Amino acid sequence: MSARRALITGITGQDGSYLAELLLEKGYEVHGMVRRSSSETFQRLEAFRDDIVLHTGDLLDQRSLVDVLRACEPEEIYNLAAMSFVAASWSQPVLTAEFTGTGVTRMLEAMRDTCPEARFYQASSSEMFGQVLEVPQRESTPFYPRSPYGVAKAYGHFITVNYRESYDLFACSGILFNHESPRRGLEFVTRKVTHAAAAIKLGLQEDLALGNLNAERDWGYAKDYVEAMWLMLQRDAPEDYVVATGASHSVRELVKIAFDHVALDPERYVRIDERFLRPAEVEQLIGDSAKARAELGWQPRTTFDDLVRLMVDADLEMLKRGVPQKQAG
């Protein structure tokens, strides 16, 4: 019996690398799509680079997507590629729309043309809820995105629903709330905080500049969350699921846990910088994953405190080894 084949777009990212590891453990033949870029890095894939097949493709280029799908003939497609940093979506709103929104349509069209029997997973986001209309947020909660990124993700979500209903494709979305790990990029607040706590402890950094310390998020561990992606594509019928811990924590709590872990007083090192305040803030996101827990049998295994501590420990180890900061993500 031949191994199941899966294609992951965005395989070099946090989620893509963890998902690739999970699928390899399950005996899959794993293919990944990467953009042709002189600055492309594969640090997150180093441990299993020889076990996966990489293809060059681009969500901005329809033909390249068709070529990739024809080359690997996947049974499962995980569309994780996007302009994933919310803050950058204000400075690059059109590019964000092209990648994160229209790119989903291009991938669905390519799938419909080349492998309509495949199963498709779309990475939706809690940022679609934005200015939340109910707490907690569940699959039926209306979207009210507060960033170009959130708007683009909402388009990607609805176009996936549209293709599922119009063309009878197995296409589903995971509405994932914030999920972090030592593989998170340094521009994200969780990794920015844990990396700074480690660097300050080691005498490599003097302080930490942050924006809104009162912003609250439902933060989980990316390694737990990619399992939910896989479980969605094993169902008999495609449906959308919220994936979240159901617990909300503030940036202030994040800072305290990280700095306490290295025996530092955050009051001495953390300062507020208005440059890091969003034009339109999303104050509180907290997800209700009851449907995923009941139907997928999924549940988070890592607490917020444990997540922050494991990220700080990973950053301490990385900095002690002298890994350049630009390669840290």
Side-chain angles (χ1 to χ4, degrees):
M1 181 177 176
S2 60
R4 289 182 64 81
R5 286 185 305 281
L7 171 68
I8 304 171
T9 73
I11 194 170
T12 60
Q14 169 188 260
D15 293 6
S17 62
Y18 280 121
L19 179 60
E21 282 184 302
L22 176 70
L23 296 180
L24 287 170
E25 290 170 4
K26 293 182 178 297
Y28 277 65
E29 178 184 315
V30 178
H31 296 250
M33 191 182 85
V34 297
R35 299 180 68 202
R36 188 180 301 281
S37 170
S38 60
S39 61
E40 187 62 76
T41 57
F42 300 96
Q43 279 91 356
R44 297 182 181 95
L45 308 180
E46 282 179 358
F48 50 91
R49 173 66 184 84
D50 294 339
D51 299 322
I52 59 179
V53 181
L54 296 181
H55 304 264
T56 300
D58 195 321
L59 288 178
L60 301 182
D61 179 19
Q62 182 78 30
R63 174 61 184 269
S64 73
L65 301 181
V66 171
D67 290 344
V68 169
L69 291 179
R70 284 177 176 164
C72 63
E73 298 181 329
E75 294 156 275
E76 295 178 4
I77 300 167
Y78 297 87
N79 187 42
L80 311 186
M83 293 279 287
S84 61
F85 186 42
V86 177
S89 71
W90 275 284
S91 60
Q92 296 180 296
V94 176
L95 189 60
T96 298
E98 284 287 345
F99 269 115
T100 308
T102 312
V104 183
T105 313
R106 295 190 187 99
M107 181 57 78
L108 286 165
E109 271 295 286
M111 171 186 167
R112 192 165 71 91
D113 288 344
T114 60
C115 50
E117 299 306 312
R119 297 186 168 203
F120 180 86
Y121 171 85
Q122 166 60 18
S124 288
S125 169
S126 59
E127 287 286 331
M128 301 186 303
F129 294 120
Q131 185 170 312
V132 298
L133 300 179
E134 66 176 347
V135 179
Q137 295 88 54
R138 51 185 63 87
E139 291 80 7
S140 59
T141 302
F143 298 147
Y144 194 147
R146 298 268 281 171
S147 68
Y149 172 83
V151 172
K153 277 293 186 182
Y155 174 91
H157 180 86
F158 280 124
I159 200 67
T160 301
V161 172
N162 186 258
Y163 270 65
R164 175 170 72 216
E165 296 177 349
S166 300
Y167 302 115
D168 198 29
L169 298 179
F170 192 110
C172 62
S173 294
I175 306 173
L176 271 58
F177 280 64
N178 295 64
H179 46 289
E180 316 299 321
S181 77
R183 298 181 188 177
R184 190 53 128 167
L186 285 169
E187 69 272 24
F188 290 85
V189 68
T190 46
R191 185 72 194 293
K192 183 178 180 181
V193 168
T194 63
H195 185 272
I200 293 170
K201 182 66 175 180
L202 296 174
L204 301 174
Q205 186 171 323
E206 293 184 356
D207 61 9
L208 169 62
L210 293 172
N212 182 7
L213 296 183
N214 296 318
E216 296 183 358
R217 294 291 183 274
D218 184 331
W219 275 301
Y221 186 22
K223 195 170 184 178
D224 294 344
Y225 282 35
V226 297
E227 183 181 8
M229 301 177 187
W230 176 77
L231 287 168
M232 287 180 212
L233 295 198
Q234 313 315 308
R235 298 277 297 168
D236 291 335
E239 292 190 41
D240 304 324
Y241 294 88
V242 163
V243 179
T245 70
S248 186
H249 301 275
S250 68
V251 176
R252 195 180 304 277
E253 290 178 75
L254 163 67
V255 169
K256 185 177 189 316
I257 295 168
F259 278 74
D260 282 354
H261 190 54
V262 290
L264 293 176
D265 179 4
E267 296 289 334
R268 292 182 56 192
Y269 302 101
V270 177
R271 59 184 174 84
I272 304 301
D273 189 328
E274 292 187 358
R275 292 178 302 166
F276 298 116
L277 297 175
R278 292 185 181 187
E281 181 59 84
V282 176
E283 289 294 342
Q284 184 183 46
L285 290 171
I286 179 169
D288 179 358
S289 59
K291 181 181 176 183
R293 295 174 193 238
E295 297 184 9
L296 303 178
W298 176 86
Q299 61 181 3
R301 294 187 292 271
T302 309
T303 68
F304 178 67
D305 288 33
D306 287 344
L307 169 63
V308 176
R309 292 182 187 120
L310 74 85
M311 289 176 66
V312 172
D313 288 341
D315 279 319
L316 282 168
E317 182 183 349
M318 180 201 70
L319 289 168
K320 288 175 182 177
R321 287 189 285 115
V323 177
Q325 179 166 316
K326 67 180 180 178
Q327 297 180 9

